[in-house]
Amino acid sequence: MKRVGNLYKEICSMDNLRKAHKNARKGKGWYEEVKAVDADQETYLKALQDMLINHTYHTSEYRSFIKKENGKEREIFKLPYFPDRICQWAILQVIEPYLLKHLTKNTYSAIPDKGIHAALHDVQKAMQTDVPGCQYCLKLDVRKFYPSINHDILKAKFRRLFKDPELLWLLDEIIDSISTAKIENMRDIWLLDEDYDSETGIPIGNYLSQYCGNFYLSFFDHWIKEEMRVKYEFRYMDDILIFGRTKEELHQLRRQIDVYFRTELKLMIKPNWQVFPSYVRGVDFVGYRIFLNYVLLRKSSCINFKNRMVEIAAKIENGQLMSYSDWCSINSYKGWLKHCDSARLQEKYVLPIQAAADRYYIEVIYKKKGGKKMVDYGKVRSTVKPEPLVVDEYSVWKHTDIQKVDEPGTDEMPGFSGYEYGMIQYSKDEFILAQSAQNEQMNGILNIMLTGVNGNE
């Protein structure tokens, strides 16, 4: 592995620090500490630059809180916006490309364009293109992953990638700023309490931690693909999925992984690992159950989805106004559902409340955003027949009353052969508003027609 140097100067540059502040503040502009930096940006960033150049930067004190998620309790750690979160963004903006190069193709989570749905589609592709090679599945994850990451091992791995001493000093400072492991969770790895390494565990919540986690396990990915010659291994942070032809080879591989984890990474496989037939039971991964020719939403996710939609529907039926949280839940679940076979779920749970969600968007969100009005260009001509609807990065173009035109030329004017049509340009928000209004109008007409038919009966 070729080691990289001369990166620290770029990390400390004012251009990089300005970019770090811009990225770190996204979605947090209302925080008081962010407002303070916004009000005097150059002074704050110059102070951080001086800390980095003079090696006087020290990670601030962490605050922690317990977050309950999917029936689990996690301790989340939080650092101040200045200087710490800006500093971590500044580091990662420079070193991220080198970290990503070291990750294998089938690594997901906290990586640009390599999220849940990329993992889903890659697993689907493997199951559909190599049925004999994916007959059985080994599914496992790491026990107490973030609290089990050993500082010395992580720092040694960074030294295999980087040779810049100042960058390594800064990474060491952040890695050693806190140890999150609890001795009762480590006794299975460190057999004697006196052998326990107190410098273990990185904080969930640090921006840098998710990259450290992926980098820490990337050496396992290379080992299993390059030395163990495993063809299908997919890893979403510490959730690992491996396909094989037989149960026996996967059981043997699991024992080898257990040894590798303990000896090379000081990690332990969670006891709930499984080996099972892939196509009979389906592969439960990244929130979905994946079969050969179809995909279902994970059972627990499906139950949560139904409960949430029923709760929102009851609120609407009682005449209550939908909240922003309700509207976000509907759209979030729609995003999940479009990647699986969910027509019946959408018909039963989403369609009955979709009109209310559209109204909320028009009456609350769209008005706050103050979107642009449409631009009507009237009749225009083109030699190419247009599509009725064209969507680009910023606008929706609607083409109406498309007519074929053939006009012979004269001595004064050239002829024309092509198409004439009406053209209207909408912002995307305005188009949604126009379509929703049109749907409301059509529903009103249908209701009148149905009322008339029922009355005649």
Side-chain angles (χ1 to χ4, degrees), residues 175-331:
I175 292 167
D176 290 335
S177 62
I178 190 172
S179 297
T180 62
K182 293 180 172 59
I183 191 168
E184 59 268 24
N185 294 328
M186 304 303 295
R187 284 188 174 123
D188 291 323
I189 297 174
W190 305 95
L191 299 179
L192 302 173
D193 283 358
E194 54 265 34
D195 293 334
Y196 165 67
D197 188 346
S198 61
E199 295 297 310
T200 299
I202 61 174
I204 300 173
N206 260 9
Y207 183 48
L208 187 63
S209 291
Q210 54 196 7
Y211 284 85
C212 288
N214 261 331
F215 183 61
Y216 197 78
L217 281 178
S218 66
F219 292 84
F220 161 76
D221 298 327
H222 284 283
W223 170 78
I224 204 159
K225 287 179 180 288
E226 295 159 15
E227 294 188 33
M228 304 306 295
R229 301 295 180 184
V230 171
K231 186 176 181 180
Y232 298 114
E233 182 251 0
F234 305 87
R235 181 172 64 78
Y236 189 88
M237 195 51 76
D238 65 314
D239 288 338
I240 299 167
L241 191 71
I242 299 172
F243 288 121
R245 291 177 177 269
T246 67
K247 289 187 290 186
E248 291 74 22
E249 70 176 88
L250 292 179
H251 280 290
Q252 173 64 20
L253 183 61
R254 197 276 307 168
R255 290 189 285 271
Q256 292 170 309
I257 292 171
D258 189 45
V259 173
Y260 182 90
F261 272 7
R262 288 172 180 271
T263 57
E264 299 295 325
L265 300 174
K266 300 296 180 187
L267 297 175
M268 187 177 173
I269 296 174
K270 202 172 178 179
N272 64 349
W273 61 270
Q274 302 171 62
V275 173
F276 55 90
S278 309
Y279 299 101
V280 176
R281 215 174 86 180
V283 176
D284 188 328
F285 192 55
V286 294
Y288 296 94
R289 286 176 63 206
I290 310 162
F291 294 85
L292 178 61
N293 295 315
Y294 63 97
V295 178
L296 302 177
L297 200 61
R298 178 183 284 164
K299 186 176 180 180
S300 59
S301 301
C302 192
I303 292 170
N304 292 336
F305 159 72
K306 290 177 181 179
N307 291 340
R308 187 74 175 104
M309 296 302 104
V310 167
E311 177 190 332
I312 296 170
K315 182 186 285 189
I316 294 166
E317 286 173 12
N318 291 331
Q320 293 177 275
L321 183 66
M322 182 183 293
S323 69
Y324 181 68
S325 175
D326 296 334
W327 185 81
C328 288
S329 290
I330 294 168
N331 286 284

Side-chain angles (χ1 to χ4, degrees), residues 395-455:
S395 304
V396 177
W397 302 83
K398 189 173 182 181
H399 304 128
T400 59
D401 192 25
I402 301 169
Q403 302 288 336
K404 185 78 171 70
V405 176
D406 284 301
E407 293 180 349
T410 65
D411 292 339
E412 290 81 19
M413 293 289 291
F416 176 78
S417 180
Y419 299 88
E420 185 176 80
Y421 50 91
M423 184 168 75
I424 303 174
Q425 178 188 9
Y426 295 91
S427 69
K428 291 184 179 179
D429 290 334
E430 183 69 25
F431 182 74
I432 293 169
L433 185 151
Q435 289 298 110
S436 297
Q438 185 177 333
N439 292 339
E440 289 276 336
Q441 185 180 12
M442 287 300 298
N443 288 337
I445 293 169
L446 287 171
N447 286 334
I448 292 169
M449 291 172 65
L450 289 171
T451 302
V453 169
N454 293 334

Side-chain angles (χ1 to χ4, degrees), residues 11-24:
I11 291 170
C12 298
S13 72
M14 284 299 288
D15 284 344
N16 187 54
L17 294 177
R18 290 187 192 101
K19 183 181 176 183
H21 167 53
K22 181 181 177 182
N23 286 325

